[in-house]
Amino acid sequence: MKIKVYLTCSQCLLLMFAKYMIWFATPDLYVGAGRCRLSKVGAGRRPPPARVRVAVRLRPFVDGTAAAGEPPCVRGLDSCSLEIANWRNHQETLKYQFDAFYGERSSQQDVYAGSVQPILRHLLEGQNASVLAYGPTGAGKTHTMLGSPEQPGVIPRALMDLLQLTREEGGEGRPWALSVTMSYLEIYQEKVLDLLDPASGDLVIREDCRGNILIPGLTQKPITSFADFERHFLPASRNRTVGATRLNQRSSRSHAVLLVKVDQRERLAPFRQREGKLYLIDLAGSEDNRRTGNKGLRLKESGAINSSLFVLGKVVDALNQGLPRVPYRDSKLTRLLQDSLGGSAHSILIANIAPERRFYLDTVSALNFAARSKEVINRPFTNESLQLRVLAPIKLSQKELVGPSEAKRARGPEEEEIGSPEPTAAPASASQKLSPLQKLSSMDPAVLERLLSLDRLLGSQGSQGTHGLNTPRRERMVLMKTMEEKDLEIERLKMKQKELEAKVLAQEAVDPKDKENSSPAVLRPLARRTVTVAQPLKKAVVMPLQLIQEQAASPNAEIHILKKKGRKRKLESLDASEPEEKAEDCWELQISPELLAHGRQKILDLLNEGSARDLRSLQRIGQKKAQLIVGWRELHGPFSQVEDLERVEGISGKQMESFLKANILGLAACHRCDTS
């Protein structure tokens, strides 16, 4: 007996809502593993989320800047929360709660042990981690990351502990072999510069097929001890761009990123590989140019820093709002931090703030950014891959290299009559290539089992191919023997062809007259066609009349003419018959040293004493570059030589070369005409 149940519309809606809630609570029961984001180790479940951990550090009052009895604008409530006065209503306070709060009396060891040290273990599991120091300028970010010899910061402490962990985990008898490498770079005015190799220039940021961020051409130094780290890191730290402002005498003008890679290789089968990356980032501080007094080059640096930090805030807001597009590519800094914010790394943000009331607006902005960053979700996974075991090459014996007919004759009639009904072992092919018909007994059992399962899978799917692994032994031996005979036949034909070619060459060397009649079957290469090179066209050269008269007046003087031909210049003399080519970078040798010295001195006087209007009289110097030169001169003093222009932003090496050519030649010619 069947009973029909009729449901009303409201009951149907309730039933559908209940199914939806069950699906939302247990999505793995309804969605296949292929639709979930797989981890690198091949797990079928979604990697567990990890929220960005945020710690706030309040530095103490700087000596000489705090007024007598001035109370701080920030006050800590406990180890995780703090409060700050509300600038809209002074009777209220704004309360913030983070993962950790370190007050004025907290030490470097407290910050490191409480926030940074726990994430180092993730590197040995093949996962990524990052530590970011954020805050306004003068808040103590560099002190937190680097510290001093008496109070080392996060970077030296983390490297010391990480190297100790790798020595313990990669020792003798351990299943993994570990190696550590380091790279150090800075992002200065949207340029990625290698601090370990400053001459490498601007580098690019790429993304591989697995979504990992990498920088091709970045220097990697292997380190095995803390002494190795200091030998590479200390000279590279001096290459970082710093400058003096009203708020800080050594203000960081760039974002510094220390990248440490931990590579792990398994010593036994299945020979897995893991890679963990640690980013230690010292961000440049946001600046208010009205208080820092930045001008010229410092103003341009401040604009680049504030722009990159603004994009960083946009990325955090987009991640919190779940927008379809996250603007990682709008800045080099956010492109490099793609793994750290919303990516696959265990991230820690250390927000540094100042207690003085004049830093109130910067402190509120830093706390708001830290509160938004606390809601960002990362999904770390293990970067693990398998290394296929390479089979040893097959060595051929002397009998196997001889053809079947020669081997038959070498055995003699007695051995030929005895024979064997079935060969016990098949010789390997002469080409030494791995074939699916290879003898199964020489394979690793684990590899053999995988190949057999793959062959069965291909057979079940209807794949058209040679299933040599499942064929009977006798048929497999026959196929292997046939393939070997074909390979040996090809080798003999190649050797015979080489003998014939050598014979023909020897006959041509003995009797060159009869080389046309001998061996007509051998094909000879076609004769090369002679190519005639067209003579260069004559060019007219225009020279100043005074210069020609002056050179013609002196009987022993030679008149030199400069001709531009492609990328080279030809130096010709009216008395010489053959021209002499010289490279373009030897142009200074074509003018007397006195004229060159006079031109250089005149340019140097203009650079040190001239105004912006006077500098614009030089060729290739516009209004913008003239202002940059004047600003640089006010900061660093007068120029000692003309080549110091390369240190001014906006003038590269190639521009410097063309600038010297254009100005020194013109000034030298004018001086020579004036003296005549």
Side-chain angles (χ1 to χ4, degrees), residues 283-466:
L283 298 176
S286 58
E287 295 181 344
D288 186 356
N289 295 315
R290 294 171 296 183
R291 294 191 293 112
T292 56
N294 292 330
K295 294 181 180 179
L297 183 60
R298 292 289 173 264
L299 184 63
K300 187 176 181 181
E301 294 171 349
S302 176
I305 293 171
N306 292 338
S307 177
S308 60
L309 294 177
F310 175 71
V311 177
L312 181 62
K314 288 172 57 180
V315 167
V316 172
D317 293 339
L319 291 171
N320 290 335
Q321 298 174 13
L323 298 180
R325 179 188 178 273
V326 181
Y328 288 116
R329 296 177 180 268
D330 292 357
S331 173
K332 295 288 184 67
L333 174 63
T334 53
R335 181 65 168 158
L336 191 62
L337 297 181
Q338 188 168 345
D339 288 340
S340 303
L341 296 175
S344 60
H346 296 271
S347 299
I348 294 176
L349 177 68
I350 303 177
N352 296 262
I353 56 177
E356 292 87 358
R357 290 187 176 275
R358 58 195 178 98
F359 288 100
Y360 176 79
L361 295 178
D362 295 332
T363 301
V364 171
S365 177
L367 290 176
N368 290 335
F369 175 81
R372 298 197 309 271
S373 302
K374 189 178 63 172
E375 306 300 327
V376 176
I377 301 298
N378 292 352
R379 295 192 177 274
F381 52 76
T382 301
N383 297 292
E384 184 175 294
S385 60
L386 291 177
Q387 180 185 7
L388 297 179
R389 185 179 179 183
V390 182
L391 297 178
I394 304 171
K395 296 182 180 180
L396 302 180
S397 61
Q398 186 66 24
K399 293 183 179 180
E400 293 171 348
L401 291 175
V402 184
S405 57
E406 287 81 352
K408 200 172 184 180
R409 288 195 298 269
R411 285 186 299 177
E414 298 179 357
E415 298 180 5
E416 186 177 337
E417 291 177 0
I418 298 173
S420 60
E422 181 179 352
T424 57
S429 62
S431 59
Q432 298 185 5
K433 294 181 179 179
L434 185 60
S435 171
L437 304 177
Q438 186 184 3
K439 186 178 178 181
L440 298 182
S441 59
S442 63
M443 288 189 180
D444 188 19
V447 178
L448 176 60
E449 182 63 28
R450 293 180 183 178
L451 290 177
L452 288 175
S453 61
L454 177 62
D455 190 59
R456 286 193 295 268
L457 178 62
L458 292 176
S460 62
Q461 294 179 355
S463 175
Q464 295 180 359
T466 305

Side-chain angles (χ1 to χ4, degrees), residues 175-360:
W176 296 88
L178 287 83
S179 61
V180 183
T181 59
M182 63 165 287
S183 302
Y184 198 25
L185 61 96
E186 71 171 353
I187 302 177
Y188 176 71
Q189 296 192 18
E190 290 301 306
K191 296 179 182 178
V192 181
L193 305 177
D194 190 354
L195 295 178
L196 293 174
D197 185 13
S200 59
D202 188 11
L203 303 177
V204 295
I205 302 176
R206 301 296 187 197
E207 183 176 354
D208 61 4
C209 58
R210 296 183 296 175
N212 297 324
I213 300 299
L214 51 90
I215 302 176
L218 184 63
T219 305
Q220 295 185 5
K221 297 289 186 180
I223 52 177
T224 57
S225 62
F226 191 75
D228 295 343
F229 167 72
E230 286 184 328
R231 186 173 66 253
H232 300 307
F233 181 77
L234 294 180
S237 299
R238 302 187 189 100
N239 297 329
R240 186 181 178 186
T241 307
V242 296
T245 62
R246 291 180 182 176
L247 300 179
N248 192 356
Q249 292 299 322
R250 288 186 57 82
S251 176
S252 302
R253 316 308 298 168
S254 63
H255 308 293
V257 180
L258 176 64
L259 173 59
V260 182
K261 283 186 179 181
V262 179
D263 293 325
Q264 305 179 61
R265 297 179 182 271
E266 198 171 14
R267 290 190 171 100
L268 301 176
F271 304 103
R272 292 174 295 175
Q273 295 181 357
R274 291 178 180 175
E275 181 186 75
K277 293 185 292 185
L278 174 63
Y279 292 92
L280 299 171
I281 304 165
D282 181 14
L283 298 176
S286 58
E287 295 181 344
D288 186 356
N289 295 315
R290 294 171 296 183
R291 294 191 293 112
T292 56
N294 292 330
K295 294 181 180 179
L297 183 60
R298 292 289 173 264
L299 184 63
K300 187 176 181 181
E301 294 171 349
S302 176
I305 293 171
N306 292 338
S307 177
S308 60
L309 294 177
F310 175 71
V311 177
L312 181 62
K314 288 172 57 180
V315 167
V316 172
D317 293 339
L319 291 171
N320 290 335
Q321 298 174 13
L323 298 180
R325 179 188 178 273
V326 181
Y328 288 116
R329 296 177 180 268
D330 292 357
S331 173
K332 295 288 184 67
L333 174 63
T334 53
R335 181 65 168 158
L336 191 62
L337 297 181
Q338 188 168 345
D339 288 340
S340 303
L341 296 175
S344 60
H346 296 271
S347 299
I348 294 176
L349 177 68
I350 303 177
N352 296 262
I353 56 177
E356 292 87 358
R357 290 187 176 275
R358 58 195 178 98
F359 288 100
Y360 176 79

Side-chain angles (χ1 to χ4, degrees), residues 498-512 515 518-519:
K498 290 181 180 179
E499 292 177 358
L500 291 176
E501 291 177 356
K503 187 176 181 180
V504 170
L505 292 176
Q507 188 174 0
E508 289 180 355
V510 174
D511 192 4
K515 64 181 178 180
S518 62
S519 63

